Amino acid sequence: MDTADRIFLLLDRSGMEQKKFAEQIGATDKIVSKWRTSGLKSYRKYLPQIAEVLGTSVEYLVTGVEKKPAPITESGLDATKYHMLNEENRALVDQMIEKLLKSQSGE
């Protein structure tokens, strides 16, 4: 299954009319029809809008792989965002957490 197949599978499942879909992504109905019938790949520049309208990600549309969001830890920190920080900033976050935990426990 390629990107266009995934787009139209999701569109068909959504029950949205093609004309409304085209309007919502900022394209014409004629162009969207060409994507479906002739293999025209100009949809690439609309991928962010398509993903938003269809409630998915660009990554899924392109690869067919849907990643689940990273779990949030009990402290409310998003582990993925934490690991995106450089080493110095991670150390600062760790220090802040330690200070907050100490103040919370009355130390």
Side-chain angles (χ1 to χ4, degrees):
M1 182 178 289
D2 70 4
T3 302
D5 293 331
R6 280 187 283 281
I7 290 169
F8 290 106
L9 177 67
L10 291 173
L11 179 59
D12 293 343
R13 284 182 182 169
S14 76
M16 185 184 310
E17 291 184 14
Q18 189 169 295
K19 184 175 182 175
K20 182 176 180 180
F21 173 69
E23 290 171 5
Q24 288 191 0
I25 65 168
T28 66
D29 184 40
K30 187 175 182 178
I31 297 251
V32 174
S33 290
K34 286 184 180 183
W35 297 344
R36 189 186 289 256
T37 59
S38 69
L40 185 67
K41 297 189 186 284
S42 63
Y43 58 77
R44 290 177 181 154
K45 67 181 179 182
Y46 295 94
L47 284 173
Q49 297 93 323
I50 292 169
E52 183 176 341
V53 169
L54 296 178
T56 192
S57 66
V58 171
E59 181 178 11
Y60 172 75
L61 293 174
V62 174
T63 67
V65 175
E66 186 140 22
K67 289 188 177 178
K68 295 181 181 179
I72 296 177
T73 63
E74 286 184 29
S75 66
L77 294 175
D78 184 326
T80 301
K81 289 180 183 173
Y82 174 84
H83 290 289
M84 290 171 61
L85 297 172
N86 64 32
E87 189 175 329
E88 181 180 344
N89 286 330
R90 282 196 307 264
L92 289 171
V93 170
D94 292 341
Q95 288 173 2
M96 285 190 281
I97 290 171
E98 286 301 317
K99 285 180 184 178
L100 289 169
L101 290 173
K102 284 179 182 179
S103 70
Q104 183 176 314
S105 67
E107 289 182 25

